[in-house]
Amino acid sequence: PAIDGYNENVAGSEVLKFDAAKAKELWAKADAISPWPADKTLQLAYNTDGGNKEWIDAVANYFKNNLGIKAEGQPFAKFAEILKLRTAKELPGLTRAGWQADYPSLYNFLGPLLKTDASANYEGYSNPEFDSLAKTYLAASELAAQRKATKRMAGILLRDTPVVTNYFIN
């Protein structure tokens, strides 16, 4: 909300509302396609030098209490250790990430992280429609056209869910 162009009514934003019953229903569908082993623990990597343990523990408890999945924090001394494993595609579970925009632009939270082959797109997300809108944004000389592109980009991300955004700091 602190960045110009923020819009809370992006298509698909209803998925951001907490709904434990819906989450359980969707997990059951996913589990039917690719079963999660009952004895497996979902690891949530975090760096201990950044004050992340408490909220990682809360997320792990969410998985346990709402989906019945064993989950726990996986501490690393430094964020650089996690990033090295992420880059090498060797991280065994989920991870926390952080991003600070260089410019006060919504695009600066979208393009560098999620455009195909972007420098910080460590998980390899790729969507041609998203990429096309990124080009539209970069070519636009009018703020209204840029806002329209980023709103549509955000809608795609809410549909595809390549990452889960859990909060922002203003």
Side-chain angles (χ1 to χ4, degrees):
I3 303 291
D4 184 50
Y6 168 78
N7 185 325
E8 66 183 29
N9 297 315
V10 171
S13 62
E14 65 277 356
V15 301
L16 300 175
K17 293 183 178 108
F18 178 73
D19 185 339
K22 184 70 171 176
K24 193 169 232 169
E25 173 191 324
L26 292 171
W27 178 258
K29 287 181 181 179
D31 200 44
I33 295 167
S34 179
W36 182 264
D39 62 341
K40 185 174 180 178
T41 300
L42 177 62
Q43 298 292 314
L44 306 169
Y46 70 95
N47 50 304
T48 59
D49 65 342
N52 296 297
K53 182 181 182 342
E54 292 76 15
W55 74 263
I56 288 289
D57 286 347
V59 171
N61 283 328
Y62 167 84
F63 284 114
K64 288 181 214 173
N65 296 333
N66 293 289
L67 302 179
I69 302 167
K70 293 178 190 175
E72 65 185 16
Q74 181 184 19
F76 287 83
K78 301 282 182 192
F79 183 73
E81 296 174 50
I82 298 170
L83 189 55
K84 183 178 178 182
L85 290 172
R86 233 175 128 193
T87 303
K89 309 261 189 272
E90 295 176 358
L91 202 57
L94 303 178
T95 185
R96 66 145 305 266
W99 188 258
Q100 195 168 6
D102 299 313
Y103 305 98
S105 158
L106 293 175
Y107 179 83
N108 204 237
F109 288 95
L110 301 172
L113 295 169
L114 296 158
K115 193 165 66 71
T116 301
D117 298 327
S119 61
N121 184 353
Y122 300 113
E123 282 67 46
Y125 173 71
S126 182
N127 180 306
E129 183 183 4
F130 184 91
D131 293 344
S132 177
L133 288 165
K135 287 180 185 175
T136 298
Y137 173 92
L138 293 170
S141 58
E142 298 292 323
L143 189 57
Q146 290 177 330
R147 285 182 181 154
K148 184 178 178 183
T150 55
K151 184 178 178 183
R152 289 183 56 208
M153 291 167 78
I156 291 167
L157 297 177
L158 288 168
R159 181 189 69 216
D160 290 358
T161 321
V163 297
V164 177
T165 303
N166 62 347
Y167 68 90
F168 75 97
I169 297 174
N170 185 357

